[in-house]
Amino acid sequence: MITRVEGLLYGADYNPEQWPESVWKQDANLMRDAGVTMVTLGVFSWARLQPAENEWDFAWLDRLMDLFDSRGIAVDLATATASPPAWFVRQYPETLPVTADGVRLEFGSRQHYCPSSPVYREAATKLARAIAERYGEHPALALWHIHNEYGDHVTECFCDVSAADFRRWLRERYGDDIAQLNFAWGAEFWSQRYSDFAQIEPPRTAPGPVNPGQLLDWRRFSSDALLACFLAERTVLKEVTPEIPVTTNFMSMMKDLDYWKWAAHEDVVSDDAYPDPADSSAHVQAAMNYDLMRSLGGGKPWLLMEQAPSAVSWRAVNVPKTPDQRRLWSLQTVARGADGVMHFQWRASRAGAEKFHSALLPHGGTQSRGWRETVKFGEELAKLTEVAGSRIESTVAIVLDWNSWWALEAEDHPSARVRLKEQILSWYSLLHRWNHVVDFVPPDADLSPYKVVLAPNLYSVSTENASRLSDYVYGGGYLVVGYFSGIVDELDHIHQGVDGTGGGYPGPLKDVLGVAVDEWWPIPDGRSVEVSFVADEESSQAKKKHKHSYSIGYHRTPSAVRWSEWIGATTARAVAHYTEGALKGRPAVTCNDFGEGRAWYVSCDLGGDIEKVLAEAVRPAVVWPSLASSLAFSGVEVVCRSSESHHYYFLLNHGDKQVDLGSAVPFGAVNLLTGSRPAHLAAQGVAVLKVGR
Ligand code: GLA
Ligand code: GLA
C-alpha cells in the first residue's frame, strides 16, 4: 500500500507543538519500543510553520523528520491546512465561514474556513507546496496526509463568496441556461422562477420550506467545494512529488461528502473510526464502515488513520475500551482490509480541548496499563506482517448513492423518519451475522461480480441506472429493493413514465420488480403493523393437517414499523402480506422472476424481520470459507483475506462467551498470533488462521 513501509502500519497522530523539544526524542524512542512504524505529523502545525504571511519556520520540523528517520519510523506528513492561524484570520476575515442564519463563525476552534474562499485555497496550496518542496525528498516521508477530516465541523458556508461560487457551479451545471435551472428546480412552484443566475443565493434560512432542487444542488455543490480544496492541494503534491501516495482521512459513512467522487483521487483510502464502546452493537456498524472504505478504494487495502486507543472526549459520556475490546476492534479493521492501525493520538495532551482523549501514551506514561497495551499490540501486529496486501472477495453488494441519500432525507416527504444509514445498517446487520462480507457499489457500478445486489433504498434512480439493475437481474442476478425506491430521477422529479400520464411508482424499477405502488402508508411513531409470510402460513397449515405435528416453539409475529405501502403485484408474487390495518390482505413483500434472475421488493420497514427476505435472497451467495458459515450466529465475525499463496481467516469473537472452534478449524491451520492451532476462541478473543491455498 505504502511502498516505503513493509507490513502493517502502526502509529498515531503526533502533535509535537504541544511539547518542548526535549520530549520529542523520548517520544521517538518510545515509539520505537512500541513497534510504531509510521507517525502522522503536522496536522495542526500551520501556525508554527508559517508564523506570519511572509515568514516560514521549518527548522523544527526538519529536526523531527530527521529524528523519525533515525529511528526507522516513516512519516505520514500532513499539509497542515485544517486550521488556519490567527494572523491569517485577522488579515482575511472574509475567509471565516458563515452559517445559514448569517452568523460568521469565529476563530478559536478549528476548520474555520470557507471552502470556496480563493484566499483560503491559495494560502492552503502555498503551504502544501512549501511542505512538499521541503520534504519531498526526505527519506522518512511515506505518505501525504492532505488536510484533516474534510467536512468535520464545517460542511458548508453561506457567505457571499460561497454564493458567487455556487452561481458559477450552477452556470456550469446548467450550461449557462437559466431555463434549465428553472426546470431542474421546479421553480414554477411558489413563483420561484429566476430570470438570471445573478438572482440566486445559497439556501439560507428562509420563511418556510426551501426549494428541494436548490437544496439538492447545494449539497452537491458543498461536497464539490470541499473536493476542490482537496484537489487543489493534491495537484500541487502530485506536481512536486508524483511518486508519493496521497490520502485524506475520511469520516466513515458520512452523509455530507460524496466519497465515491473523492476516493477516485486518492492513492490510499483512509478512515477515522470511532465506534462507541458503550454500544454493544458498535462493531457491526464499524464493519459496515470498513467494508465501505475497502469498496471506495476498489478493493485495495485501506488504512485506519485514526481510532481512539480507549475513550474519546467528545461524547456526552465517554466510555473507555476494555483491553480486549481495544485489541479486538483494532484487529477487526485489519480483518476487513486495513493495512494499518493508526490512532489519535500518540501522547495524551496536557492542555487543550482534547486533553481527556485517550492516547497511545496516556497521562500515566510508561507506568500505565494503556502503555503496556500499546506495546503489546505493536508486537501482535508485527506477527501479521504477511497479511499486508492481501484482498477480500465478496459476492454481495449494497448500492450506495450519495445523491439519492441527500434527496431522500429532504424535508416535506411522506415521513421524516426515513434515514438511509439506519436502513442500510438494518440489512447489513444480518449479512454481518451470517458472515457475508459486503462490497458497497455506486449506482452505476458493474454488477457482474456479484451474485446478490441489495438496494435498501434507492429513492432517486436514473433511468439508465435502473436499466443496469434490470439487466443485472435479467441476466441471472438476485436483487432486493427496499421501500420508497425508484421514485425520482436525478433532478428529484417524480418519474413520469413513457406515455406522459404519469407512470406511477416505482418508476423505472416497475418491470424488474413486477409491482405497482399505489400510495405510501407511513406508520406513526410507536405503532407497528403485523405482517405474515406466505411460507409460514403454508407450513402452519401443513402442520395443522399433519397428525404428528408439533410446535417448534414461540415465534414472534413479524411486523413493520415506520413505513408501509399500498402495493399491487403485477408480475410478482406476494411473499408476505399485511394482516391488519388499512392494508390488510395486501402484499407487503413480493418476489418477481425476471429473465434468469429474481427481484424482491420490500414495501415496509421490517426491522430485524427483513431476515426472512434476505435469508432467501442471499442463498446464491455462498458464505466462504465454510468456517464462516459454521460460525454464523455464534457472535464470531469471520473474514477471509487472501494472498496469492494463502488465506488468512480472521476470527473475531464479539460475544462475552468462549466459543469452541473444534472441527471448524481447517487441517494445518495455524493461528499467526499464537503459532498454534486454536481449539476455542475466548470471549472477545481473536485468531488469525493461516491456511495454504
Ligand atoms: C396551505 C397553503 C397551500 C399549500 C397547502 C398544503 O393551505 O395555502 O399553498 O401549501 O397549505 O397543505
Ligand atoms: C478526529 C480528528 C482528530 C481528533 C479526533 C478525536 O478524528 O481528526 O484531530 O480531534 O477526532 O477523536
Side-chain angles (χ1 to χ4, degrees):
M1 172 173 64
I2 291 162
T3 46
R4 292 196 179 178
V5 193
E6 263 184 46
L8 302 174
L9 297 160
Y10 184 45
D13 275 28
Y14 183 44
N15 294 299
E17 308 86 359
Q18 299 176 15
W19 302 99
E21 196 157 341
S22 55
V23 173
W24 299 353
K25 206 164 155 189
Q26 186 191 36
D27 276 326
N29 289 340
L30 287 173
M31 284 183 200
R32 198 189 41 197
D33 294 350
V36 163
T37 56
M38 187 166 82
V39 317
T40 299
L41 207 54
V43 174
F44 296 107
S45 299
W46 193 343
R48 279 288 190 110
L49 291 172
Q50 195 184 6
E53 176 120 58
N54 295 309
E55 211 181 294
W56 298 88
D57 181 5
F58 287 109
W60 64 275
L61 188 53
D62 293 352
R63 293 197 292 282
L64 273 163
M65 292 293 285
D66 294 346
L67 173 65
F68 287 123
D69 188 44
S70 71
R71 301 298 189 278
I73 295 168
V75 174
D76 162 38
L77 189 56
T79 56
T81 54
S83 197
W87 65 260
F88 177 84
V89 165
R90 295 302 169 233
Q91 207 160 315
Y92 305 106
E94 74 277 17
T95 60
L96 286 170
V98 173
T99 66
D101 293 333
V103 176
R104 204 173 268 281
L105 300 174
E106 244 308 345
F107 179 80
S109 178
R110 59 176 171 184
Q111 290 226 342
H112 40 268
Y113 63 91
C114 157
S116 292
S117 165
V119 181
Y120 167 74
R121 282 192 202 170
E122 201 195 312
T125 47
K126 199 169 155 193
L127 178 59
R129 182 179 292 279
I131 293 173
E133 285 173 350
R134 185 137 190 131
Y135 300 107
E137 306 274 302
H138 198 284
L141 177 67
L143 177 66
W144 286 125
H145 183 292
I146 298 181
H147 197 88
N148 190 66
E149 290 193 340
Y150 281 102
D152 181 28
H153 309 307
V154 175
T155 55
E156 55 190 353
C157 170
F158 295 81
C159 76
D160 290 340
V161 173
S162 294
D165 196 28
F166 184 40
R167 287 188 286 270
R168 177 204 53 80
W169 186 92
L170 291 168
R171 278 181 194 275
E172 219 166 90
R173 180 172 175 86
Y174 296 107
D176 224 356
D177 182 355
I178 198 69
Q180 278 199 38
L181 176 137
N182 281 322
F183 175 75
W185 289 10
E188 293 304 340
F189 187 79
W190 284 354
S191 198
Q192 289 169 349
R193 72 199 306 267
Y194 297 92
S195 52
D196 197 309
F197 280 90
Q199 297 159 349
I200 298 170
E201 292 292 334
R204 300 199 179 97
T205 306
V210 172
N211 182 303
Q214 184 184 4
L215 281 172
L216 181 57
D217 273 348
W218 177 254
R219 283 205 168 274
R220 291 175 174 139
F221 159 76
S222 296
S223 175
D224 282 359
L226 283 169
L227 179 60
C229 293
F230 168 69
L231 290 178
E233 291 194 31
R234 182 191 181 276
T235 303
V236 168
L237 298 176
K238 285 293 171 191
E239 189 192 309
V240 183
T241 57
E243 71 291 354
I244 303 292
V246 304
T247 191
T248 185
N249 43 347
F250 286 163
M251 298 175 71
S252 301
M253 194 181 281
M254 187 214 201
K255 181 176 162 187
D256 301 278
L257 305 182
D258 181 350
Y259 280 155
W260 292 122
K261 271 182 130 177
W262 289 65
H265 304 286
E266 288 194 297
D267 299 303
V268 180
V269 168
S270 62
D271 190 38
D272 296 351
Y274 289 94
D276 185 356
D279 173 1
S280 61
S281 64
H283 63 284
V284 180
Q285 189 164 349
M288 177 177 87
N289 289 328
Y290 306 153
D291 281 357
L292 173 63
M293 291 304 136
R294 193 185 61 252
S295 305
L296 287 167
K300 279 188 304 196
W302 55 282
L303 175 60
L304 177 71
M305 186 59 89
E306 286 182 26
Q307 69 166 345
S310 189
V312 297
S313 54
W314 39 263
R315 291 194 173 99
V317 178
N318 298 299
V319 175
K321 292 175 183 170
T322 66
D324 287 342
Q325 205 171 31
R326 172 175 173 181
R327 173 177 182 260
L328 174 69
W329 286 8
S330 296
L331 289 171
Q332 185 194 21
T333 69
V334 180
R336 302 196 93 89
D339 265 7
V341 180
M342 307 279 293
H343 300 78
F344 182 87
Q345 62 177 333
W346 165 255
R347 185 186 274 261
S349 300
R350 63 181 168 190
E354 294 183 326
K355 62 179 174 296
F356 291 116
H357 196 288
S358 59
L360 288 184
L361 181 61
H363 289 143
T366 53
Q367 299 309 309
S368 63
R369 170 178 61 80
W371 171 252
R372 287 193 292 279
E373 286 168 27
T374 295
V375 175
K376 207 166 143 203
F377 189 71
E379 288 162 7
E380 283 212 293
L381 210 54
K383 294 180 186 163
L384 300 179
T385 299
E386 61 183 277
V387 172
S390 57
R391 302 274 193 126
I392 294 167
E393 267 182 33
S394 163
T395 54
V396 183
I398 293 181
V399 182
L400 175 60
D401 178 2
W402 266 268
N403 282 279
S404 183
W405 190 353
W406 295 330
L408 172 74
E409 297 184 8
E411 283 176 37
D412 298 300
H413 273 208
S415 165
R417 301 288 179 261
V418 179
R419 288 291 170 264
L420 182 70
K421 199 152 94 179
E422 276 178 41
Q423 193 62 20
I424 292 179
L425 182 59
S426 82
W427 292 29
Y428 181 92
S429 300
L430 286 161
L431 296 161
H432 183 265
R433 195 188 306 160
W434 296 328
N435 279 322
H436 274 292
V437 180
V438 174
D439 280 355
F440 284 88
V441 293
D444 59 351
D446 169 19
L447 301 174
S448 59
Y450 303 104
K451 298 265 189 232
V452 180
V453 172
L454 309 176
N457 177 276
L458 213 48
Y459 164 70
S460 163
V461 65
S462 67
T463 312
E464 301 80 64
N465 290 338
S467 299
R468 260 173 224 279
L469 290 168
S470 302
D471 293 349
Y472 165 74
V473 177
Y474 201 81
Y478 275 27
L479 172 72
V480 190
V481 174
Y483 62 84
F484 202 40
S485 289
I487 309 302
V488 298
D489 62 17
E490 322 76 292
L491 300 177
D492 197 23
H493 291 191
I494 305 289
H495 278 291
Q496 291 302 301
V498 275
D499 67 358
T501 65
Y505 327 118
L509 293 172
K510 261 189 308 193
D511 289 345
V512 64
L513 297 175
V515 295
V517 176
D518 181 275
E519 196 164 13
W520 307 296
W521 229 276
I523 300 170
D525 296 348
R527 290 199 220 155
S528 62
V529 174
E530 282 190 0
V531 163
S532 92
F533 278 78
V534 173
D536 292 345
E537 289 160 14
E538 283 166 0
S539 75
S540 75
Q541 270 165 15
K543 264 182 224 149
K544 269 183 214 152
K545 275 191 213 146
H546 201 284
K547 262 195 192 164
H548 307 291
S549 73
Y550 56 91
S551 161
I552 52 164
Y554 172 76
H555 283 286
R556 202 178 54 77
T557 313
S559 64
V561 290
R562 204 182 324 232
W563 191 274
S564 60
E565 288 173 0
W566 180 307
I567 70 170
T570 50
T571 58
R573 61 183 178 280
V575 168
H577 294 100
Y578 297 105
T579 56
E580 58 177 348
L583 305 181
K584 186 174 177 178
R586 307 208 62 85
V589 180
T590 60
C591 177
N592 194 34
D593 291 325
F594 188 74
E596 300 290 306
R598 201 165 265 195
W600 284 258
Y601 182 61
V602 186
S603 75
C604 51
D605 190 333
L606 286 171
D609 293 323
I610 188 70
E611 176 167 6
K612 287 179 178 287
V613 185
L614 295 187
E616 185 68 27
V618 300
R619 215 166 266 181
V622 179
V623 178
W624 187 90
S626 56
L627 181 72
S629 51
S630 54
L631 288 172
F633 302 103
S634 65
V636 178
E637 176 178 336
V638 182
V639 189
C640 177
R641 290 186 65 163
S642 304
S643 69
E644 271 171 24
S645 55
H646 290 90
H647 297 303
Y648 302 97
Y649 301 160
F650 283 75
L651 315 185
L652 307 140
N653 185 3
H654 294 282
D656 52 11
K657 289 193 183 67
Q658 173 175 305
V659 172
D660 287 324
L661 298 173
S663 58
V665 176
F667 182 74
V670 171
N671 181 1
L672 285 178
L673 298 172
T674 59
S676 59
R677 181 189 164 87
H680 60 259
L681 205 53
Q684 305 229 293
V686 184
V688 183
L689 305 182
K690 178 179 177 180
V691 186
R693 293 189 76 140

